[in-house]
Amino acid sequence: MLLNFGQRSIDLSTPKIMGVVNMTPDSFSDGGKIQSLSDALKISLDMERNGAAIIDIGGESTRPGSHEVSSEIQISRVIPLIKALRESSDVIISIDTGNPEVMNAAVESGADLINDVYALTKEGAMQVAIDSGKIICLMHMQNLPHDMQDAPSYKKLPEDILSFFKDRIDACIAAGLSKDKLIIDPGFGFGKDMHHNLLLLQKLSSFKQFDIPICVGISRKKLIGDIIGKPLNKRLIGGLSAGIFAAMHGANIIRTHDVMETKEALDVLNAIQGNHKE
């Protein structure tokens, strides 16, 4: 399975890594840690050097309880980094936003992928995605970030989320987006409690029915902390365990804050599975 980004492509015959760079003061894990453009560029290039095939840049926190940030603020946060990274590297650049104006500005500045937690449901987002010609990641989220963890509930999992993706994929194709431009993300921690998240991980292989790449982002999340009883800075091993389980059960892209460690874990998994390359 290949993801084609124009002149560049990613071979998904083995899972690939998406490194997370949050240009925000309030993201749940690393908000406020990046103090300058040079810091952000160094972190991004280090992630690429350590094994990230994709760098996912966001200017708006979507942690539980967060509220939307204006397009102007998002653009001011992410566009300088996208431009600097594009000038310095051929790595695949992803813009993490559901805002059509931010999507458009990011694509014009060199972004290759639109990672939308709202799955192109915001007004104007679908058309920007079509016009951009870029790869789109559709994520599932119940409700909105500010209230998504207020007693989330489902009739049946994973069926409810599989139905959501069928509807969104059909809508994208009907609007003119090619299926080979799509990625899906079950949205761990986005309107799911611990039971929901664990069940989705257990049933992750069911999402392979769409024959579309699957992205999983579980690095450092509350689920890991709840299981092992550790704060954010102590969740590495738990997050790696969940990521490797996901890779073994259908995930093609692992979205993570911990690129080097995830790359090493995937290298071991690939060797065990006979996919090791000398």
Side-chain angles (χ1 to χ4, degrees):
M1 185 184 292
L2 283 177
L3 266 183
N4 292 305
F5 298 87
Q7 296 181 337
R8 298 183 297 281
S9 64
I10 295 178
D11 179 2
L12 297 179
S13 59
T14 56
K16 297 301 183 287
I17 296 171
M18 175 187 282
V20 181
V21 180
N22 289 315
M23 301 297 290
T24 54
D26 57 346
S27 290
F28 86 95
S29 176
D30 53 359
K33 290 186 178 180
I34 296 175
Q35 298 298 315
S36 68
L37 176 59
S38 61
D39 285 347
L41 181 59
K42 182 180 184 304
I43 289 170
S44 301
L45 293 173
D46 284 347
M47 284 185 171
E48 180 189 10
R49 192 176 305 111
N50 288 328
I54 304 168
I55 303 298
D56 190 40
I57 300 170
E60 175 185 59
S61 173
T62 50
R63 77 189 193 289
S66 63
H67 293 272
E68 291 190 33
V69 172
S70 71
S71 56
E72 291 80 10
I73 291 175
Q74 288 190 58
I75 287 170
S76 71
R77 289 173 176 174
V78 302
I79 297 305
L81 176 56
I82 291 172
K83 288 180 176 178
L85 185 56
R86 182 77 299 145
E87 290 174 1
S88 304
S89 170
D90 284 333
V91 72
I92 302 301
I93 299 175
S94 168
I95 176 63
D96 181 3
T97 188
N99 185 303
E101 293 180 25
V102 181
M103 292 177 187
N104 193 54
V107 167
E108 289 181 350
S109 299
D112 306 286
L113 188 160
I114 296 171
N115 183 16
D116 184 4
V117 301
Y118 299 95
L120 300 182
T121 57
K122 286 194 172 185
E123 184 177 356
M126 182 72 78
Q127 193 58 53
V128 170
I130 294 167
D131 293 344
S132 75
K134 303 301 181 181
I135 301 289
I136 312 295
C137 185
L138 307 170
M139 197 195 78
H140 175 271
M141 172 172 56
Q142 188 178 88
N143 299 324
L144 298 172
H146 74 272
D147 64 356
M148 64 186 179
Q149 293 305 109
D150 295 348
S153 64
Y154 296 88
K155 292 181 180 178
K156 190 175 183 181
L157 289 179
E159 286 79 1
D160 288 4
I161 298 177
L162 291 170
S163 177
F164 166 85
F165 279 125
K166 184 181 185 305
D167 290 346
R168 293 311 299 151
I169 291 166
D170 288 349
C172 287
I173 293 172
L177 269 176
S178 172
K179 185 179 176 181
D180 63 10
K181 295 285 188 183
L182 299 177
I183 300 168
I184 56 174
D185 180 344
F188 291 96
F190 284 79
K192 288 103 179 164
D193 63 20
M194 183 174 176
H195 170 73
H196 300 144
N197 286 316
L198 290 174
L199 186 56
L200 286 177
L201 267 176
Q202 293 162 10
K203 302 292 185 180
L204 186 64
S205 60
S206 64
F207 291 87
K208 295 166 67 176
Q209 68 185 261
F210 298 112
D211 196 28
I212 287 175
I214 300 168
C215 178
V216 166
I218 201 163
S219 165
R220 302 184 186 176
K221 287 192 173 177
K222 184 176 183 292
L223 167 65
I224 307 301
D226 287 346
I227 292 171
I228 63 176
K230 296 288 181 68
L232 275 167
N233 63 347
K234 301 290 186 180
R235 296 177 186 173
L236 173 62
I237 295 174
L240 290 175
S241 300
I244 292 303
F245 181 92
M248 293 174 65
H249 292 82
N252 305 104
I253 299 170
I254 306 298
R255 185 179 184 272
T256 181
H257 305 82
D258 304 301
V259 170
M260 180 177 66
E261 295 87 350
T262 301
K263 174 63 162 55
E264 292 177 356
L266 286 174
D267 284 347
V268 173
L269 175 64
N270 290 333
I272 294 168
Q273 294 180 330
N275 297 315
H276 180 64
K277 295 180 180 180
E278 297 293 341

